[in-house]
Amino acid sequence: MVEREPGGAGHRQEAPAEPRLSCALVVGADGALGRAVAAWFLGHGWAVVGTYRNEARRQEAAAVLDVRSSGAAGRRLRWVKADLRRAAGAERAVAAGLRWQGRIDAAVHTAGLFATEAVVGGSWATWESMLETNVRTAFELAQAVVPPMREAGGGSLVLVAARAAARAGRGMGAYAAAKSALIRLGEALADELAGSGVRVNVLAPSVIDTPANRAAMPGASREGWRTPEELAAMIGWLALPEAASVHGQLLLA
Ligand SMILES: NC(=O)c1ccc[n+]([C@@H]2O[C@H](COP(=O)([O-])OP(=O)(O)OC[C@H]3O[C@@H](n4cnc5c(N)ncnc54)[C@H](OP(=O)(O)O)[C@@H]3O)[C@@H](O)[C@H]2O)c1
């Protein structure tokens, strides 16, 4: 738009107002899956708010993301230091997206923690930490992000559980219980939000092909492992208009 400057002699082209970008909040954007999710959204032109807790890990992820997105990360990615086990952390992350782009169109919860421990001789502290990191973080995210999404008329919330939730094998009790609880949280939330435009889906991957898993299982066959990129593409697709009818689903990947 060209506007005449009041009282001015000539014309001056006003800088056009920045158009609002679709905005994704990625919890744990410095993690193996989280950074692939951030890369997917950046690659599709979205603004991304990524949460992190550790500065060294954030810097490493930021460098990778900048290369993968041909420098777009510098312009369309903002980081927020936030521990989602606390309401204040979730609120800070959501507020950053709202201040920047006016709404959050997609929120992706990739925060997670894995541990193996026998039940007998094990510690309740392990169960507590599994529940705090895998479930409470999603609970706090939902408290903070659902009201503004609902007010804006919609959005996509994706929670990342695990296929291991289906049945706990030896040593997997605390982790599988926490991921089961996360799936139940997603189901209840999806029913609560039916018809609101806010869509909630849970992705349950098998083993993800991450550097940490390659190091932990050096001799293992990687058949059936999922790459972070293929999972990120599923998560990203869930935020698109094409997925408007996908709500309350558990996607086994
Ligand atoms: N890797 C697998 O094979 C596999 C298989 C099935 C499901 N999953 C699930 O997939 C998700 C991603 O896995 P991943 O391999 O990418 O894990 P990852 O590399 O460890 O990434 C997890 C991310 O969550 C963040 N996080 C942890 N606690 C948090 C908290 N309290 N508040 C905010 N952020 C927090 C981590 O930050 P910090 O670095 O600060 O802890 C990290 O950025 C997890 O939910 C995991 O359980 C993984």
Side-chain angles (χ1 to χ4, degrees), residues 14-42:
E14 296 278 323
E18 294 262 319
R20 190 190 85 79
L21 299 174
S22 295
C23 182
L25 169 60
V26 181
V27 175
D30 58 347
L33 176 60
R35 67 178 74 174
V37 173
W40 190 95
F41 281 108
L42 288 168

Side-chain angles (χ1 to χ4, degrees), residues 5 20 23 26 28 86 91 100 105 120 123 137 144 158 203 225:
E5 206 179 353
R20 190 190 85 79
C23 182
V26 181
R86 299 292 170 262
E91 284 160 10
W100 185 23
D105 302 274
V120 176
S123 138
T137 50
V158 178
L203 184 73
W225 289 23

Side-chain angles (χ1 to χ4, degrees), residues 162-170 172-173 176-177 180:
R163 274 189 175 227
R167 189 184 186 287
R170 180 190 292 250
M172 295 283 283
S180 302

Side-chain angles (χ1 to χ4, degrees), residues 142 146 150 157 159 182-202 246-250:
V146 166
R150 191 156 39 186
L157 175 59
L159 309 177
L182 180 63
I183 293 170
R184 301 285 90 79
L185 184 153
E187 288 168 354
L189 188 58
D191 269 17
E192 264 172 55
L193 293 171
S196 71
V198 181
R199 296 179 297 103
V200 183
N201 293 288
V202 180
V246 185
H247 174 61
Q249 300 300 312
L250 174 62

Side-chain angles (χ1 to χ4, degrees), residues 55-72:
E55 178 55 22
R57 209 166 174 206
R58 182 200 73 78
Q59 281 184 19
E60 187 201 310
V64 171
L65 279 169
D66 219 39
V67 171
R68 277 204 224 163
S69 62
S70 315

